[in-house]
Amino acid sequence: MKRATDPDVQLLQGAADPTRLAILRQLSQQGTVCACDFTACCDVAQPTISHHLKVLRRSGWVRAERHASWVYYSLEPHAAARFREIAGGIDVDAGLMMPAITAATRRLPVIQPA
């Protein structure tokens, strides 16, 4: 599969995983979190957390700071702002609206017994 080069695609792909989304939610609630503290929120092993943190760093979601032997993570403010811009740019009213589904338009075929 071809790797995406569009930064917006990379940002969205970085968040498109349940574990990574849980990590982003924890960071948004707590600010700065030690890498060792993510295992409680995600119910996965530390090597898996490390992998997901690496993906989040590469996609621009988080920054890491080393303090002695500990690594602390925090959200990149510009990533959250860009995510809001991308999501806010999708306007349902500007595009084609789906017709309202009513009981009359939802009729299923009736199968008669043979």
Side-chain angles (χ1 to χ4, degrees):
M1 188 165 131
K2 203 164 134 179
R3 178 165 258 183
T5 57
D6 182 340
D8 289 345
V9 171
Q10 290 176 344
L11 188 72
L12 293 172
Q13 285 177 339
D17 178 89
T19 301
R20 291 193 292 269
L21 193 54
I23 290 170
L24 292 173
R25 286 180 175 146
Q26 184 173 350
L27 287 170
S28 71
Q29 293 169 355
Q30 296 179 357
T32 302
V33 179
C34 179
C36 61
D37 293 331
F38 287 116
T39 54
C41 81
C42 303
D43 197 31
V44 293
Q46 185 62 44
T48 305
I49 293 292
S50 295
H51 164 74
H52 287 298
L53 288 168
K54 178 181 169 184
V55 171
L56 288 170
R57 276 194 320 271
R58 284 186 177 169
S59 61
W61 274 107
V62 299
R63 70 175 96 167
E65 278 186 49
R66 180 172 291 279
H67 295 277
S69 61
W70 303 102
V71 180
Y72 291 87
Y73 289 87
S74 58
L75 279 177
E76 283 285 358
H78 73 274
R82 182 63 192 143
F83 182 73
R84 279 191 295 279
E85 288 173 12
I86 293 168
I90 299 172
D91 188 5
V92 175
D93 294 330
L96 295 174
M97 296 287 290
M98 293 294 294
I101 297 176
T102 63
T105 60
R106 274 193 302 164
R107 288 203 182 119
L108 298 175
V110 177
I111 300 173
Q112 299 295 331

